[in-house]
Amino acid sequence: MVYSKEVIELSLYRLEKAKKDLEDAQKTLELEMYDTAANRSYYAIFHSARAILALDGLDYKKHSGVISRFQQDYIKTEIFDKNMSNIIKSAFDMRTESDYEDFYVISKADVIIQVSEAEEFVTTIDSYIKSKI
């Protein structure tokens, strides 16, 4: 498939945003700012999913829409392994609890895993997008 210049630019912009979020997650993890690291690692994953959907001319106002479409178009079709679905769902749940639940305490171990999974997710999406454009 041939993509327009605008579609490629949007996809790469979102991918760069994801990489910046991942970098922020790694830095805040080192600073033991676990809530922030969980938030930033989730957004790295989320913006990666939006980057790939941009290639399809898609975007959604709600996070659930992005996640659902990513799963429908890229997990169920086996373009990506089911583990990618588990990563995005887990990150969404952790970020939601961390951001909105009173008295929720996020563990260092959980955040370390999430940041590592975010790295895997972003790297996988990056490779896929670059192979397509």
Side-chain angles (χ1 to χ4, degrees):
M1 174 180 266
V2 177
Y3 298 104
S4 71
K5 179 182 175 188
E6 292 81 12
V7 165
I8 292 170
E9 286 176 356
L10 178 59
S11 180
L12 292 176
Y13 171 80
R14 290 178 179 170
L15 190 57
E16 285 307 310
K17 191 170 186 160
K19 290 176 183 179
K20 174 70 171 101
D21 288 336
L22 180 58
E23 184 180 312
D24 291 346
Q26 293 162 334
K27 288 178 182 176
T28 54
L29 177 59
E30 289 173 15
L31 294 171
E32 299 181 0
M33 300 169 62
Y34 303 130
D35 289 344
T36 305
N39 178 285
R40 295 293 83 203
S41 60
Y42 166 72
Y43 276 99
I45 294 165
F46 176 73
H47 289 300
S48 294
R50 288 185 71 224
I52 204 168
L53 292 179
L55 293 179
D56 300 327
L58 300 171
D59 197 17
Y60 297 88
K61 294 189 184 295
K62 295 187 176 223
H63 290 234
S64 59
V66 170
I67 294 167
S68 176
R69 191 56 182 248
F70 176 79
Q71 290 174 333
Q72 178 182 330
D73 292 355
Y74 292 93
I75 303 300
K76 288 184 180 177
T77 59
E78 298 182 351
I79 292 172
F80 296 117
D81 186 77
K82 185 167 174 44
N83 187 49
M84 294 282 280
S85 177
N86 296 337
I87 289 172
I88 200 168
K89 284 194 272 185
S90 174
F92 176 79
D93 290 345
M94 188 181 296
R95 194 271 315 183
T96 301
E97 289 177 1
S98 178
D99 283 357
Y100 300 112
E101 295 296 323
D102 292 330
F103 308 112
Y104 179 78
V105 177
I106 196 164
S107 77
K108 178 180 180 178
D110 287 344
V111 177
I112 289 170
I113 291 168
Q114 183 166 307
V115 171
S116 175
E117 289 178 340
E119 290 171 17
E120 176 186 344
F121 196 96
V122 172
T123 300
T124 301
I125 299 296
D126 182 51
S127 295
Y128 179 85
I129 289 173
K130 289 183 176 164
S131 77
K132 295 295 180 183
I133 57 174

